[in-house]
Amino acid sequence: MTTPYDLAQWAADELRARTGVDHYDLAIVLGSGWREGAGALGTPHSVVPTGSLTGFVSPTVAGHDGKILSLKVGDKQVALLSGRVHLYEGNTAAQVAHPVRTLVAAGARQVLLTNACGGINPELGPGSVVVIKDHINLTATSPMEGDNPPAPLASRFVDLTDLYSRALRARVLEAAPQLTEGVYVGFRGPHYETPAEIAMARTMGGTLVGMSTVLEAIAARHLGAEVLGLSLVSNLAAGVAAQALSHLEVLAAGQEAAASLGALLAQLVPVL
Ligand code: 8IG
């Protein structure tokens, strides 16, 4: 039977053949705003449309074109995934995790997951960047659901005690001491939360709310990669500010932050 790990291995082999890259060091999944800023990392030597690789589903979100950009940043071989896919597009947890599984299969031992999200704390307004310290997965699913992964992979009962790497977080906070840490609460969406759900997330210890990242983080950790998460707060979560949430305002916040997010990536990638 074909497993998600077979699909990821095939896609990784196809990616290697297309790019000539034998081994990636770092994979970066680009969320909104981050994608627009990532040009600051340099010019890719290769761009592969994800539609041409095994197992990838196409993004349905406007502006999330699916491609993998390969570039060297200093001595690091970096893969940028532009066009992440979400549960709310009708994808399974395995489909959401496939790009990250592919890039880890292509050698990446570090995975940086970026996203745009809602902020629960009124002091962390739109434009703030938060380092993810931990998450609460409220999607009611897992990329580990299904058959146990084949040997020699670790079992599906993956330990998440240090899901977001302590070492990577320390390096990021040393290089960018203005950043704070927070807990990311992952919802399925695509509707935004009710004020009561945000009150719940706050009571649970959440700082950020979003619709991505948690499943990718679990899948990357299962494969032994070091995981780092960076969130751009694009809006205050429902009920935190007086006004209603607008998807257009959320997108505008991402565009406005793009240049500073690019500069931050260019500063952080060399210290990871
Ligand atoms: I950007 O307020 C963005 N993504 N769940 N809630 C959730 N996801 C988001 C939000 C938000 N803002």
Side-chain angles (χ1 to χ4, degrees):
M1 218 203 45
T2 303
T3 72
Y5 308 95
D6 294 323
L7 292 179
Q9 191 58 59
W10 293 338
D13 291 344
E14 291 160 4
L15 181 66
R16 281 200 179 97
R18 294 293 174 78
T19 58
V21 175
D22 180 56
H23 184 98
Y24 290 92
D25 299 302
L26 168 66
I28 306 180
V29 178
L30 298 171
S32 337
W34 301 90
R35 196 177 45 248
E36 294 79 0
L41 285 173
T43 306
H45 56 77
S46 153
V47 180
V48 176
T50 54
S52 67
L53 299 173
T54 294
F56 280 74
V57 290
S58 294
T60 64
V61 183
H64 279 238
D65 48 336
K67 54 192 180 193
I68 294 171
L69 308 118
S70 301
L71 73 167
K72 279 298 265 286
V73 179
D75 57 359
K76 287 193 175 69
Q77 183 67 60
V78 179
L80 303 178
L81 178 88
S82 175
R84 86 153 25 105
V85 294
H86 306 81
L87 285 174
Y88 66 70
E89 295 169 271
N91 298 306
T92 64
Q95 286 169 325
V96 169
H98 180 67
V100 159
R101 284 184 169 140
T102 296
L103 293 170
V104 175
R109 307 310 304 159
Q110 297 184 324
V111 174
L112 166 52
L113 302 170
T114 67
N115 64 55
C117 68
I120 295 177
N121 176 349
E123 274 98 74
L124 287 174
S128 309
V129 173
V130 178
V131 180
I132 302 179
K133 180 172 61 179
D134 204 347
H135 81 212
I136 297 174
N137 175 10
L138 295 187
T139 67
T141 189
S142 168
M144 306 316 304
E145 204 172 274
D147 287 336
N148 215 18
L153 295 175
S155 101
R156 59 193 153 189
F157 302 108
V158 50
D159 173 59
L160 301 180
T161 307
D162 279 313
L163 177 53
Y164 296 90
S165 162
R166 225 168 247 289
L168 292 185
R169 288 191 284 125
R171 274 175 243 164
V172 165
L173 291 171
E174 195 188 345
Q178 76 279 14
L179 301 181
T180 59
E181 291 193 302
V183 173
Y184 179 96
V185 185
F187 286 84
R188 289 183 83 104
H191 52 273
Y192 295 122
E193 294 70 30
T194 62
E197 287 164 344
I198 295 303
M200 172 190 76
R202 183 189 294 114
T203 302
M204 287 174 154
T207 321
L208 310 165
V209 284
M211 308 175 193
S212 67
T213 304
V214 296
L215 304 181
E216 295 156 321
I218 294 166
R221 191 75 201 98
H222 166 251
L223 295 174
E226 285 186 288
V227 178
L228 175 67
L230 293 175
S231 289
L232 166 71
V233 176
S234 293
N235 58 278
L236 288 177
V240 178
Q243 70 278 32
L245 271 58
S246 134
H247 184 57
L248 285 177
E249 280 171 35
V250 164
L251 291 179
Q255 303 296 334
E256 270 171 45
S260 63
L261 298 180
L264 183 65
L265 285 176
Q267 183 197 358
L268 292 182
V269 165
V271 306
L272 297 182

